[in-house]
């Protein structure tokens, strides 16, 4: 329904590329919107143990952009970089890594808030592990210390039913959808 649809991701799987070929108005662009992965890699290659500050670049945004959707990536933005830090920079403790991941999440959220258009954020923000009887055995945030307002809509996603990843527990994610209005638009 849009004139131009741009799917931005760090990797587009072949099945995604194949599926969108049928739409003349859709295209993909690849890139790290956090702007940390390449800098982190080069820091390690050059023997520097600096954790880069995330300065998100959300591509293809201009005055004609009508809608930006951030879909299921907020909690994932720091996953690969933090695993890389743990492997390549073992001098960093978990508290420092967690604070760095929090900065990555917060930077993305603030970049979305600054968009001049309508924004829809869809993200998991909490996980729950349940035992065989359905009792909660562990729960926590999937977005670190980032504090989000109450979502406009929410649901539970059973990402790992009992027996799929563990015989002893299941995993559910609490997912929310937030309608974030562009900062340059008049709202009533």
């Amino acid at each position: 329904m849009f004139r131009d649809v741009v799917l931005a991701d760090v990797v587009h799987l072949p099945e995604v590329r194949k599926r969108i070929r049928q739409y003349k108005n859709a295209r993909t662009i690849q890139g790290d919107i956090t702007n940390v992965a390449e800098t982190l890699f080069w820091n390690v290659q050059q023997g520097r143990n600096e954790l880069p500050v995330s300065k998100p670049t959300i591509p293809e945004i201009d005055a004609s952009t009508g809608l930006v959707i951030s879909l299921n990536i907020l909690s994932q933005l720091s996953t690969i970089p933090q695993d890389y830090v743990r492997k390549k920079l073992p001098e960093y403790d978990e508290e420092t890594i967690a604070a760095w991941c929090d900065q990555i999440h917060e930077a993305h959220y603030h970049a979305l808030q600054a968009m001049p258009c309508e924004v829809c954020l869809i993200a998991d923000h909490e996980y729950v592990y349940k035992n065989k009887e359905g009792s909660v055995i562990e729960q926590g945030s999937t977005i670190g210390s980032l504090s989000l307002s109450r979502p406009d809509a929410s649901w539970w996603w059973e990402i790992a039913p009992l027996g799929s990843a563990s015989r002893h527990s299941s995993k559910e994610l609490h997912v929310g959808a937030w309608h974030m209005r562009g900062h340059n638009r008049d709202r009533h």
Side-chain angles (χ1 to χ4, degrees):
M1 293 175 29
F2 287 90
R3 183 180 67 246
D4 189 29
V5 176
V6 179
L7 303 175
D9 205 340
V10 70
V11 173
H12 291 284
L13 298 175
E15 55 267 26
V16 171
R17 290 180 185 280
K18 181 180 178 185
R19 191 156 190 197
I20 69 159
R21 279 189 207 132
Q22 65 184 310
Y23 301 102
K24 301 291 183 213
N25 62 332
R27 59 193 166 90
T28 61
I29 56 174
Q30 284 194 194
D32 171 25
I33 64 170
T34 68
N35 287 314
V36 298
E38 187 173 353
T39 303
L40 179 61
F41 173 79
W42 286 113
N43 283 354
V44 169
Q45 293 302 306
Q46 296 168 1
R48 294 195 317 258
N49 67 345
E50 300 168 26
L51 298 179
V53 173
S54 179
K55 296 178 183 170
T57 304
I58 301 177
E60 305 285 330
I61 306 300
D62 61 26
S64 69
T65 301
L67 174 66
V68 169
I69 300 172
S70 176
L71 178 60
N72 282 343
I73 64 164
L74 182 60
S75 67
Q76 300 300 307
L77 290 172
S78 62
T79 301
I80 292 173
Q82 79 178 342
D83 290 346
Y84 187 78
V85 167
R86 286 182 181 126
K87 182 178 177 182
K88 299 292 186 175
L89 300 172
E91 63 270 21
Y92 282 105
D93 59 39
E94 287 302 313
E95 188 175 309
T96 302
I97 294 171
W100 180 61
C101 292
D102 286 347
Q103 188 276 321
I104 293 170
H105 299 145
E106 289 170 15
H108 182 72
Y109 183 66
H110 294 304
L112 293 175
Q113 288 179 311
M115 291 284 112
C117 58
E118 298 291 322
V119 175
C120 178
L121 169 62
I122 300 173
D124 60 273
H125 53 94
E126 178 184 14
Y127 71 88
V128 172
Y129 285 100
K130 293 182 178 178
N131 63 17
K132 291 178 182 180
E133 292 77 35
S135 297
V136 174
I137 54 175
E138 183 183 338
Q139 67 185 70
S141 174
T142 61
I143 55 172
S145 68
L146 180 62
S147 178
L148 299 175
S149 62
R150 184 183 183 122
D152 296 304
S154 66
W155 57 94
W156 285 96
W157 174 20
E158 190 175 29
I159 192 165
L162 185 65
S164 65
S166 168
R167 294 183 329 207
H168 307 289
S169 64
S170 63
K171 181 180 181 181
E172 296 179 16
L173 296 176
H174 196 194
V175 181
W178 292 264
H179 177 208
M180 302 164 63
R181 288 151 181 83
H183 78 281
N184 291 337
R185 305 269 174 113
D186 185 22
R187 302 286 175 237
H188 302 294

